[in-house]
Amino acid sequence: MSARFEGQVLLITGAAQGIGRRVAERAAGEGARLLLVDRADLVHEVAASLAPQTEVHAITADLEQPAGAQRAAEAAQRYFGRIDVLVNNVGGTIWTKPYEHYSVDEIEAEIRRSLFPTLWCCHAVLPCMLAQGKGAIVNVSSIATRGINRAPYGAAKGGVNALTACLAFENAERGIRVNAVAPGGTEAPPRRVPRNTNTLGEQDRIWYQQIVDQTVQSSLMKRYGTLDEQASAILFLASDEASYITGSVLPVGGGDQG
């Protein structure tokens, strides 16, 4: 098995489920030492499952708040003394419906969920990377920047793309690479902690099915991707194999460019 991350420290957010968990599992298999962050206690189960492979620590934190991001960065430095890679994986649409049906509070909640954690974590981790003179940041965006029934989420991920470009410009000559992946629809086990705890009505299910249909139709491959297909792209951009790539947003949507 590859050892692209032998001895490196990866801070992975949203690591309790889905893409974040798979990135952590794959990175552990490639020699990374891990600081896993999520607001769900499930993140400690993930850490325990990886402990036989590598040095791994987990903390719970609310990354929608700057204090949570700062605590994550400080934990990584306390445990490992450095941060080589930051994978910003927190986000995901909470509601799926046409924009006129969103309330003001729902719009704000979508932005807090899918933009602020990336903003705060980059802000918290960059000083450490700049002191080292080296580091890589991979932000998880989405092809939903062009899609239906998720306008606030798409706007948040558009902000992630802009942040990626701006930070790449600012930090390329200081040894920090900043890239993003934009996943398309991805097959994953049912979430143990759902983003939306409300019971879906019939209209909600219709709107959700519309985004599933649009996602498949927009993909040239006419299918959802796998967790491994998303993790592979993230870890490529995080690795030294991508040493001459920065400021890029890589669509991983079966040909859907987002």
Side-chain angles (χ1 to χ4, degrees):
M1 183 173 287
S2 170
R4 289 182 295 183
F5 301 103
E6 191 68 43
Q8 293 190 36
V9 175
L10 274 64
L11 193 167
I12 303 171
T13 73
Q17 303 180 81
I19 292 172
R21 176 171 186 154
R22 192 66 186 124
V23 169
E25 292 168 345
R26 292 273 300 271
E30 295 195 46
R33 297 180 291 164
L34 302 173
L35 190 285
L36 307 181
V37 188
D38 204 288
R39 66 181 183 183
D41 287 336
L42 298 175
V43 73
H44 296 289
E45 294 180 18
V46 179
S49 72
L50 299 178
Q53 293 179 256
T54 189
E55 184 180 358
V56 55
H57 299 274
I59 67 166
T60 56
D62 179 4
L63 299 179
E64 293 179 13
Q65 305 300 323
Q70 189 62 41
R71 196 161 69 82
E74 290 172 355
Q77 291 174 288
R78 181 170 67 253
Y79 288 126
F80 301 111
R82 62 184 296 111
I83 304 169
D84 297 292
V85 175
L86 167 65
V87 177
N88 281 311
N89 180 63
V90 172
T93 193
I94 307 168
W95 295 277
T96 55
K97 53 189 172 182
Y99 188 48
E100 68 270 20
H101 292 282
Y102 279 84
S103 70
V104 170
D105 287 345
E106 288 171 344
I107 293 167
E108 291 183 347
E110 293 279 12
I111 301 301
R112 286 196 304 272
R113 175 69 56 84
S114 291
L115 175 58
F116 278 15
T118 299
L119 281 168
W120 298 139
C121 285
C122 287
H123 190 258
V125 166
L126 269 170
C128 174
M129 290 185 171
L130 290 169
Q132 297 164 183
K134 188 175 189 296
I137 296 172
V138 183
N139 298 323
V140 178
S141 179
S142 175
I143 61 166
T145 51
R146 290 177 62 89
I148 63 170
N149 296 352
R150 292 178 287 176
Y153 171 68
K157 291 303 190 179
V160 168
N161 293 348
L163 177 68
T164 298
C166 292
L167 292 183
F169 265 115
E170 289 183 9
N171 294 289
E173 293 185 65
R174 300 196 284 178
I176 315 301
R177 295 186 302 105
V178 187
N179 292 290
V181 297
T186 304
E187 295 284 359
R191 291 182 62 84
R192 293 173 63 187
V193 179
R195 297 189 182 103
N196 185 351
T197 58
N198 296 330
T199 301
L200 296 182
E202 180 59 26
Q203 183 61 68
D204 296 311
R205 286 189 285 271
I206 291 170
W207 285 330
Y208 184 81
Q209 187 60 45
Q210 287 174 349
I211 71 167
V212 172
D213 294 343
Q214 183 250 299
T215 298
V216 173
Q217 187 60 36
S218 298
S219 167
L220 302 185
M221 294 182 178
K222 299 297 184 268
R223 67 171 176 86
Y224 270 35
T226 68
L227 291 176
D228 277 313
E229 286 171 327
Q230 302 301 340
S232 292
I234 292 167
L235 291 173
F236 165 68
L237 289 174
S239 76
D240 289 340
E241 292 179 349
S243 59
Y244 196 48
I245 301 174
T246 196
S248 295
V249 178
L250 174 62
V252 189
D256 188 347
Q257 300 302 301

